[in-house]
Amino acid sequence: MPTRTAAHRRAEASAAYDAYLAECPARQLLDRIADKWVSLAVTALADGPRRYSDLQRTLASISQKMLTQTLRHLERDGLVTRTVTPAVPVRVTYELTPLGRSLLPVMAAIKGWAEAHMDEVRAARDTYDDAED
Amino acid sequence: MPTRTAAHRRAEASAAYDAYLAECPARQLLDRIADKWVSLAVTALADGPRRYSDLQRTLASISQKMLTQTLRHLERDGLVTRTVTPAVPVRVTYELTPLGRSLLPVMAAIKGWAEAHMDEVRAARDTYDDAED
DNA sequence: CCGCATCCTTTCGGATACTG
DNA sequence: CAGTATCCGAAAGGATGCGG
């Protein structure tokens, strides 16, 4: 009989990665996904595949450099797929993978929180700034 | 009778802020909270008030500059309270406000996602990098 | 249309030294 | 202990021009 029970193994598995630790890969991954453009790009793909130019219109004022960079990272990390349709002109569409879909609720939540609590944050800032001594 | 029904007003209210728009304040707020240190700091305060030095130990390798800056922003935005206990030496504790508590599940989710899906992302990266042509 | 390469400015963020 | 202030290198990110 093993000295490590199923509960032990579960606890160990859930602690396999710890973003609090600097050297942990999860810390870097957190840094990647905790990003404004990632949040907007992933949520923009919620309803299905979309074209590059379509995404660029939706994520207002994003530069093509940042959009391409963000999409490349998401593609490399297995969160989106990139599909090129050879036509004239070429047509490129991006779509969430199942892994990307698992991140979608989280990204939608953070974007939603910002939109939902903007007024409260504004009020807090006014109070804070008025209290300058 | 007004031409705008309650449903109209609700729809309008929920669309009052839109992070997709560059000029929208919610875009800036999203940029503030979609941050590695914010995620780690907020989740670290989940179980109650903690001291500055305690947080610094938990958020391994964070510089005092970034920790102070992050906490100041959170305080200004009304997400945490800062309490100074005059003693020798001085004791400063940080605690989530109700507004901060409303953000906690979101921040815990993003941190948790990174830790939970690290292996899948790693596998995707290996595949992507191997396919270099 | 969908990029990549380059330049250049701005910001981020670590290191260090110093205060109540 | 819990900061603030300053310096400085590294990285982010916009602008522009070119290419398949």
XYZ file of all heavy atoms in Angstrom, chain A residues 36 39-40 110-119 121-122 125, chain B residues 14-34:
293
model
N -4.489 43.125 -21.712
C -5.626 43.822 -22.315
C -5.992 43.270 -23.691
O -7.146 42.931 -23.951
C -5.247 45.303 -22.423
C -6.192 46.165 -23.183
C -5.645 47.605 -23.315
C -4.199 47.653 -23.781
N -3.687 49.021 -24.014
N -7.376 39.695 -23.646
C -8.760 39.699 -23.191
C -9.718 40.110 -24.307
O -10.742 39.448 -24.550
C -8.902 40.653 -22.001
O -10.266 40.880 -21.710
N -9.374 41.176 -25.013
C -10.248 41.670 -26.074
C -10.272 40.740 -27.281
O -11.327 40.497 -27.874
C -9.809 43.082 -26.493
C -9.963 44.164 -25.419
C -9.396 45.494 -25.895
C -11.424 44.330 -25.021
N -13.276 39.318 -16.981
C -12.421 40.455 -16.637
C -12.826 41.688 -17.442
O -12.900 42.799 -16.908
C -10.921 40.114 -16.833
C -10.042 41.216 -16.285
C -10.590 39.821 -18.262
C -8.586 40.846 -16.239
N -13.136 41.473 -18.713
C -13.618 42.591 -19.544
C -14.952 43.110 -18.993
O -15.162 44.319 -18.867
C -13.779 42.118 -20.989
C -14.400 43.137 -21.924
C -14.451 42.604 -23.349
C -15.192 43.536 -24.297
N -16.639 43.606 -24.011
N -15.818 42.176 -18.642
C -17.119 42.554 -18.097
C -17.004 43.291 -16.776
O -17.731 44.252 -16.527
N -16.068 42.855 -15.952
C -15.884 43.518 -14.662
C -15.491 44.972 -14.859
O -16.015 45.872 -14.198
C -14.845 42.780 -13.817
C -14.816 43.263 -12.391
C -15.478 42.720 -11.333
C -14.114 44.415 -11.881
N -15.234 43.458 -10.192
C -14.402 44.502 -10.503
C -13.282 45.363 -12.462
C -13.881 45.495 -9.700
C -12.763 46.382 -11.665
C -13.062 46.433 -10.299
N -14.549 45.189 -15.763
C -14.081 46.554 -16.020
C -15.232 47.444 -16.480
O -15.363 48.586 -16.036
C -12.971 46.538 -17.067
N -16.070 46.903 -17.349
C -17.191 47.692 -17.872
C -18.266 47.901 -16.814
O -18.878 48.973 -16.738
C -17.774 46.995 -19.105
C -16.821 47.014 -20.307
C -17.247 46.094 -21.433
O -18.148 45.257 -21.217
O -16.667 46.184 -22.510
N -18.446 46.896 -15.962
C -19.530 46.955 -14.978
C -19.205 47.843 -13.780
O -20.099 48.430 -13.175
C -19.878 45.542 -14.502
N -17.910 47.929 -13.435
C -17.549 48.636 -12.202
C -16.813 49.938 -12.437
O -16.233 50.502 -11.516
C -16.738 47.707 -11.305
C -17.481 46.495 -10.852
N -18.330 46.502 -9.764
C -17.548 45.235 -11.352
C -18.864 45.294 -9.597
N -18.405 44.503 -10.560
N -16.836 50.377 -13.678
C -16.132 51.608 -14.031
C -16.580 52.783 -13.170
O -15.747 53.553 -12.692
C -16.392 51.901 -15.514
C -15.574 53.047 -16.074
S -13.812 52.711 -16.109
C -13.179 54.055 -15.125
N -17.863 52.914 -12.950
C -18.372 54.050 -12.181
C -17.871 54.033 -10.743
O -17.497 55.068 -10.194
C -19.907 54.047 -12.202
C -20.461 54.528 -13.538
O -19.790 55.353 -14.189
O -21.552 54.075 -13.928
N -15.149 52.623 -9.646
C -13.716 52.922 -9.644
C -13.490 54.418 -9.816
O -12.656 55.019 -9.128
C -12.997 52.136 -10.756
C -11.572 52.620 -10.935
C -13.016 50.647 -10.446
N -14.272 55.014 -10.689
C -14.174 56.453 -10.894
C -14.436 57.215 -9.600
O -13.706 58.138 -9.251
C -15.197 56.905 -11.933
C -14.717 56.776 -13.347
C -15.689 57.465 -14.274
N -15.042 57.888 -15.512
C -15.692 58.340 -16.579
N -17.002 58.442 -16.539
N -15.040 58.726 -17.659
N -11.559 56.899 -7.260
C -10.421 57.731 -7.678
C -10.639 59.178 -7.295
O -9.719 59.858 -6.830
C -10.219 57.619 -9.184
C -9.608 56.305 -9.592
C -9.473 56.194 -11.104
N -8.911 54.898 -11.479
C -8.779 54.468 -12.729
N -9.197 55.239 -13.732
N -8.252 53.289 -12.991
N -26.029 48.820 -20.133
C -25.030 47.764 -20.198
C -24.005 48.046 -21.285
O -22.918 47.495 -21.284
C -25.703 46.414 -20.458
O -26.264 46.396 -21.753
N -24.350 48.927 -22.199
C -23.420 49.280 -23.257
C -22.771 50.627 -22.994
O -22.076 51.172 -23.832
C -24.139 49.294 -24.603
N -22.992 51.152 -21.808
C -22.459 52.460 -21.462
C -20.939 52.462 -21.564
O -20.340 53.418 -22.051
C -22.892 52.841 -20.055
N -20.327 51.395 -21.123
C -18.887 51.259 -21.260
C -18.583 50.074 -22.174
O -19.202 49.020 -22.054
C -18.236 51.045 -19.890
C -18.346 52.239 -18.974
C -19.180 52.216 -17.859
C -17.598 53.379 -19.219
C -19.275 53.310 -17.017
C -17.692 54.487 -18.383
C -18.530 54.445 -17.289
O -18.615 55.530 -16.462
N -17.645 50.268 -23.061
C -17.290 49.221 -24.009
C -15.775 49.218 -24.207
O -15.219 50.103 -24.849
C -17.997 49.460 -25.341
C -17.709 48.363 -26.358
O -16.869 47.491 -26.065
O -18.317 48.391 -27.434
N -15.134 48.197 -23.636
C -13.672 48.133 -23.661
C -13.107 47.962 -25.068
O -11.907 48.152 -25.281
C -13.182 47.003 -22.756
N -13.962 47.613 -26.010
C -13.498 47.505 -27.395
C -13.156 48.884 -27.970
O -12.383 48.996 -28.909
C -14.557 46.836 -28.273
C -14.691 45.352 -28.051
C -15.940 44.760 -27.851
C -13.568 44.516 -28.063
C -16.066 43.395 -27.666
C -13.692 43.149 -27.868
C -14.934 42.594 -27.673
O -15.063 41.242 -27.486
N -13.762 49.906 -27.383
C -13.528 51.256 -27.876
C -12.305 51.873 -27.210
O -12.161 51.850 -25.991
C -14.767 52.117 -27.613
C -16.077 51.552 -28.178
C -17.247 52.465 -27.824
C -15.968 51.353 -29.691
N -11.461 52.449 -28.007
C -10.180 52.962 -27.527
C -10.338 54.081 -26.505
O -9.592 54.146 -25.527
C -9.352 53.446 -28.710
N -11.321 54.934 -26.708
C -11.467 56.114 -25.859
C -12.225 55.798 -24.570
O -12.267 56.616 -23.654
C -12.192 57.231 -26.601
C -12.059 57.207 -28.116
C -12.910 56.118 -28.756
O -14.054 55.933 -28.305
O -12.409 55.435 -29.679
N -12.832 54.618 -24.520
C -13.649 54.275 -23.358
C -12.788 54.077 -22.115
O -11.771 53.391 -22.159
C -14.443 53.003 -23.643
S -15.562 52.550 -22.304
N -13.204 54.684 -21.000
C -12.456 54.538 -19.746
C -12.293 53.081 -19.337
O -11.304 52.724 -18.698
C -13.322 55.282 -18.725
C -14.177 56.185 -19.514
C -14.370 55.563 -20.853
N -13.264 52.256 -19.719
C -13.190 50.836 -19.367
C -11.988 50.168 -20.030
O -11.444 49.190 -19.513
C -14.475 50.119 -19.750
N -11.574 50.679 -21.158
C -10.384 50.150 -21.824
C -9.147 50.357 -20.930
O -8.356 49.448 -20.734
C -10.196 50.845 -23.173
C -8.835 50.643 -23.835
C -8.687 49.312 -24.540
N -9.454 49.161 -25.747
C -8.994 49.414 -26.988
N -7.774 49.893 -27.157
N -9.765 49.193 -28.035
N -9.024 51.541 -20.359
C -7.896 51.828 -19.476
C -7.974 51.012 -18.191
O -6.955 50.519 -17.691
C -7.838 53.316 -19.114
C -7.179 54.199 -20.172
C -8.151 54.568 -21.282
O -8.983 53.761 -21.684
N -8.053 55.787 -21.784
N -9.192 50.886 -17.671
C -9.370 50.099 -16.451
C -9.001 48.638 -16.714
O -8.347 47.986 -15.893
C -10.818 50.204 -15.958
C -11.153 49.430 -14.682
C -10.238 49.825 -13.525
C -12.615 49.631 -14.291
N -9.421 48.137 -17.864
C -9.063 46.775 -18.245
C -7.550 46.612 -18.300
O -6.995 45.618 -17.827
C -9.677 46.439 -19.611
C -9.350 45.062 -20.186
C -9.848 43.950 -19.281
C -9.931 44.908 -21.593
N -6.893 47.615 -18.820
C -5.435 47.580 -18.914
C -4.808 47.538 -17.525
O -3.772 46.903 -17.317
C -4.949 48.818 -19.681
C -3.574 48.599 -20.284
O -3.163 47.433 -20.428
O -2.908 49.590 -20.613
N -5.451 48.193 -16.588
C -4.944 48.233 -15.221
C -5.085 46.884 -14.513
O -4.163 46.401 -13.855
C -5.732 49.264 -14.403
C -5.110 50.607 -14.337
C -3.873 50.589 -13.453
N -3.099 51.825 -13.564
C -3.468 52.970 -13.010
N -4.567 53.041 -12.307
N -2.719 54.036 -13.160
N -6.252 46.289 -14.646
C -6.515 45.067 -13.877
C -6.041 43.806 -14.596
O -5.784 42.785 -13.956
C -8.007 44.934 -13.515
C -8.866 44.818 -14.775
C -8.461 46.091 -12.652
C -10.335 44.573 -14.487
N -5.928 43.868 -15.920
C -5.393 42.711 -16.648
C -3.889 42.747 -16.518
O -3.159 43.053 -17.449
C -5.824 42.748 -18.100
